[in-house]
Amino acid sequence: MTGVQGGEEAGTRAALAAAEAPPVFEHRVLKALLGAWALAACTAKETAAVEAHLGDCGPCADEARRLREAVGLLHRPESLDLDPGLRTRVLETCLDRRPPRIPVPDWADPYDAEAARLDALLQDIGDAEWHAPVRLRWFDGTGPASRRTTVAGVIAHLLSVDGLVALALGLDDPLTGTTAESATPQGRTEAYWRDAHFPPTRSVRSPWREQSRDLVRTVSFTGGTGKLTVDYGGFGLPLHDAMLDRAFECWVHAEDIADAVDYPYEPPAPRHLNRMIDLAARMLPDVLAARRRAGLASPARTRHLVPAGRPGRSLRLEIEGSGGGEWLIALDSPGAIPSAEHEVAHVALDGVEFCRLAAGHVPPEETAAGQLGDREAIRDVLFATASLSRM
């Protein structure tokens, strides 16, 4: 019995070994399977046979490596940047467990998040990439305008303009010792670039990041709930809106930098994007009025502007996608109350597309917008949105 049983066990082991061994294919068949193998489309047995063959055949191994590399090029590269909503979710979870002694105000969250995202991008780029050319673009009221600089020059621009908020909060001005021809964002930036002993380098990152943290820390301590206004040299914004404006510009210029260094970059978290869109929508009636005074917009349809506090002609702005919503825009007077009963036009835009229009990165004539109603009113609003942009 023992001899018989031993023979049966040996036969069983041999059968199992034969079952586990890769099937035998001719060389030409294995070579033909290399494409399917590179795409992970082979059966388990075919995969085992190909991989066993690659260990013995140098030409096929080289071909397999080239095919795998080619397959890698077919896949869309994954973003090296974190999901823009991840930081918010992590912080919310942490703060649920241990609330901060001095929380960042809700209205300062977008700036805090966008400055952190841009700083993460800057940490990933090499020394040479700080000198990569970047073209700052905006709409000057009648047509596109641009200014050539570098990645470091963009951060110097953000440092200079964020300095307007720093001044309003009583912090140090990064342009101390520099004389600007005007206190506008462009005037301050040009002065910084002009008075620098050398073109900006990666060393500008440290003062910019330190200033951004100081701004968030200061508004967190003070609350910033008063009637503080940030002077942009020609117009002013309440502190809450100025921080949103700085968050918007931080994102827009981060995209400029990302394009220059071929770095994937995502839009802001939806709730932050919604607030940026809301700021632009609230500013549109004033911009429309300014363009009308300058002869750049069609005159009001009524003989006199609608009195403040009264309903007037309105345009419905529908923003689709991330951060979307609906806004009624007063067309004839900044003081008029927008009214659905007086709606004369309807425009639908993707959220990111609207923001790029507001940044001056998309010409108003080329904006992909769904349009219905008064064409003149629609044109005025699209051009006014582009006119929100500046250097």
Side-chain angles (χ1 to χ4, degrees):
M1 290 292 293
T2 303
V4 173
Q5 184 176 0
E8 290 178 350
E9 289 178 354
T12 300
R13 287 196 296 271
L16 289 174
E20 292 174 358
V24 178
F25 293 101
E26 295 181 12
H27 180 270
R28 60 182 180 82
V29 175
L30 292 167
K31 186 175 181 180
L33 285 172
L34 291 179
W37 173 83
L39 291 167
C42 288
T43 65
K45 289 184 177 180
E46 289 171 341
T47 299
V50 170
E51 291 178 352
H53 176 67
L54 295 180
D56 299 325
C57 181
C60 283
D62 290 340
E63 179 67 12
R65 177 180 54 79
R66 286 193 293 270
L67 288 170
R68 270 287 167 89
E69 290 174 353
V71 168
L73 295 175
L74 296 176
H75 291 286
R76 185 179 178 180
E78 296 183 2
S79 173
L80 300 178
D81 197 16
L82 294 175
D83 173 2
L86 178 61
R87 181 177 186 272
T88 299
R89 294 196 297 272
V90 171
L91 286 176
E92 286 176 348
T93 301
C94 294
L95 297 178
D96 283 343
R97 297 187 177 184
R98 180 177 295 180
R101 288 178 295 175
I102 304 172
V104 174
D106 190 50
W107 46 267
D109 270 347
Y111 176 75
D112 188 28
E114 292 310 307
R117 289 210 302 143
L118 173 53
D119 191 49
L121 184 161
L122 297 177
Q123 289 184 60
D124 273 358
I125 67 177
D127 289 344
E129 290 175 309
W130 280 85
H131 303 287
V134 178
R135 187 168 291 279
L136 298 181
R137 295 171 291 157
W138 69 96
F139 185 81
D140 68 2
T142 59
S146 66
R147 180 71 157 79
R148 188 179 176 87
T149 185
T150 64
V151 169
V154 174
I155 301 304
H157 167 60
L158 289 174
L159 174 70
S160 302
V161 185
D162 285 356
L164 293 170
V165 182
L167 280 170
L169 291 171
L171 301 175
D172 292 337
D173 184 0
L175 267 65
T176 299
T178 298
T179 304
E181 294 180 4
S182 68
T184 63
Q186 183 167 355
R188 286 173 59 87
T189 300
E190 296 282 3
Y192 187 99
W193 287 343
R194 182 190 66 242
D195 291 354
H197 295 295
F198 302 98
T201 64
R202 71 176 305 144
S203 62
V204 75
R205 176 189 160 219
S206 179
W208 166 76
R209 190 63 179 119
E210 184 177 346
Q211 178 177 255
S212 67
R213 289 193 174 105
D214 283 345
L215 294 180
V216 173
R217 188 181 304 113
T218 302
V219 299
S220 299
F221 273 100
T222 63
T225 56
K227 297 181 178 180
L228 193 62
T229 297
V230 177
D231 183 6
Y232 278 75
F235 72 97
L237 286 176
L239 176 62
H240 294 198
D241 287 345
M243 292 295 283
L244 266 179
D245 171 77
R246 303 317 307 142
F248 177 78
E249 189 164 350
C250 195
W251 163 46
V252 167
H253 289 319
E255 281 202 335
D256 291 335
I257 292 171
D259 288 343
V261 299
D262 196 23
Y263 189 106
Y265 208 77
E266 299 294 329
R271 67 189 184 95
H272 294 167
L273 188 62
N274 178 269
R275 291 183 181 184
M276 296 176 193
I277 294 169
D278 178 69
L279 173 61
R282 287 188 283 112
M283 294 175 71
L284 280 176
D286 286 310
V287 178
L288 275 168
R291 287 181 58 81
R292 189 175 292 120
R293 288 192 297 270
L296 298 174
S298 56
R301 292 297 180 86
T302 54
R303 179 168 300 202
H304 302 287
L305 292 180
V306 177
R310 296 286 299 275
R313 288 191 318 141
S314 304
L315 176 143
R316 183 176 299 277
L317 175 64
E318 180 183 352
I319 302 300
E320 302 169 338
S322 180
E326 288 192 0
W327 288 262
L328 282 171
I329 310 298
L331 295 172
D332 294 329
S333 171
I337 297 176
S339 166
E341 295 180 1
H342 295 75
E343 181 180 322
V344 298
H346 185 166
V347 173
L349 272 166
D350 172 73
V352 173
E353 177 85 357
F354 175 79
C355 288
R356 288 178 177 151
L357 174 64
H361 286 195
V362 179
E365 306 95 326
E366 299 176 14
T367 303
Q371 306 177 8
L372 180 66
D374 188 326
R375 309 295 291 185
E376 204 170 59
I378 292 170
R379 181 186 184 279
D380 285 345
V381 168
L382 292 178
F383 272 77
T385 303
S387 298
L388 289 167
S389 65
R390 59 181 183 274
M391 178 178 170

